[in-house]
Amino acid sequence: MQWPWKRKRSHDQLIVSWSGKTLAYVEAVNTGGRFSIKRMGVEQQGNDNLKDFANRVADLGLSRHSAVVMLPTEQSTLLQIAAPSVPPEELRSAARYQIRDMVDMHIDDLTLDVLRLGDGQDKSAGQLFVVAAANAVIREAMQLAEALEWTVRVIDVQEMAQRNLQSAWAKSGGYADGATASLVVVNDKQALLTICAKEELYYSRRLDLPAGFMAMPWGGGADIALEPVDVYTPVGEYVPDYGGVSGLGLEDSSLGGDDPAQRVLVELQRSLDLWDRTWSSLPLVGLVVNAGRRSQELATWLSQGLGQGVASMEPAAMFDGIPELSEEDAIKCLPLLGVLLRTGGTH
């Protein structure tokens, strides 16, 4: 998804995100079709002004690069709408008009891009994803790029990065012909669920996490598989209105009892059940998760609770030279690896 710059290919790739005065970065080189990581980490601006911070980042060898910027979930919104009946060159303008009441700021303050849901065939043909980001967010990223003399050709978003990682995992595991789900903890408040097939994104939902989720035990009640749920929570930003019961979010204590982690499990199963009902032609054949150092623990817990196999996504299996990072930094950097796969031309 290009907005609105065209990609410039290079053997060395720099992928960054810039949010809340925090820079996450991955620099890699493509060696024989596989990426080797040269640098990867997180830098905080702290009390530095932009010039001093840029000088500090430049000292790491990260200036004067061709770069790709990824907007994390807190910087962008993914909306799903019915595709307007207009010529392709008018899709952005029509989508801008259609979502004006779905966003919480003036439409003129947003940068938009559109892409077809899934492969654009059959049931997915009438649906679009609309990506919206505040103009101010784009400006801040470009100000940092200017200070570091980056040439920014592409701005991507976290959902597309997760699609790329998920598709690479599916291909390596022999799941390329079916639909797979991926649940990735993106920060201490949210996890991102994506469902992909044929290397394309079909479904996305951001699941709110209870306070302290990454520090709490996840074992309570997980030894009993949940029964299928007939209701789900429509999420207007990411899921079309298929009907159902609304108003049953994580705050509803009847779902999962008093265990907040168990309520996350219920919400996840709702989304998987929704997929099974609405996309029976693309049954789920795999579910992969990532939660930093607790990835395998999360996979085991969900496998018990959902009554199906869940795998842990291990980036080291797809990339060479990944350094040891703190759990918090690893969660920030993981999505950048997905953008790296895209820039390498594999997706």
Side-chain angles (χ1 to χ4, degrees), residues 8 54 68 117 142-143 169 257 259 303:
K8 178 181 180 180
V68 176
L117 183 147
M142 298 310 295
Q143 286 169 356
W169 170 82
D259 182 354
S303 180

Side-chain angles (χ1 to χ4, degrees), residues 89-165:
E89 63 272 16
E90 298 177 14
L91 272 179
R92 282 191 180 88
S93 297
R96 178 177 291 274
Y97 177 81
Q98 194 165 326
I99 71 162
R100 67 194 189 285
D101 295 327
M102 301 169 65
V103 293
D104 58 3
M105 65 175 61
H106 195 281
I107 196 68
D108 291 340
D109 295 328
L110 293 171
T111 296
L112 302 184
D113 199 5
V114 296
L115 67 155
R116 294 285 181 183
L117 183 147
D119 62 0
Q121 303 296 318
D122 301 325
K123 188 184 295 187
S124 66
Q127 297 289 319
L128 283 181
F129 285 125
V130 181
V131 183
N135 295 337
V137 166
I138 306 298
R139 283 196 299 269
E140 288 178 5
M142 298 310 295
Q143 286 169 356
L144 179 65
E146 183 178 356
L148 283 159
E149 299 182 61
W150 292 338
T151 301
V152 177
R153 300 294 183 183
V154 173
I155 295 181
D156 217 329
V157 293
Q158 191 155 348
E159 284 84 356
M160 297 299 108
Q162 186 160 313
R163 175 204 64 180
N164 296 345
L165 280 172

Side-chain angles (χ1 to χ4, degrees), residues 224-270:
I224 302 175
L226 298 175
E227 293 297 323
V229 180
D230 287 333
V231 295
Y232 71 95
T233 306
V235 183
E237 291 190 8
Y238 316 111
V239 185
D241 185 8
Y242 294 111
V245 179
S246 62
L248 294 176
L250 291 179
E251 71 281 357
D252 190 327
S253 61
S254 66
L255 299 173
D258 295 326
D259 182 354
Q262 194 73 2
R263 295 199 293 276
V264 174
L265 185 63
V266 170
E267 288 299 314
L268 174 59
Q269 181 160 346
R270 281 174 160 172

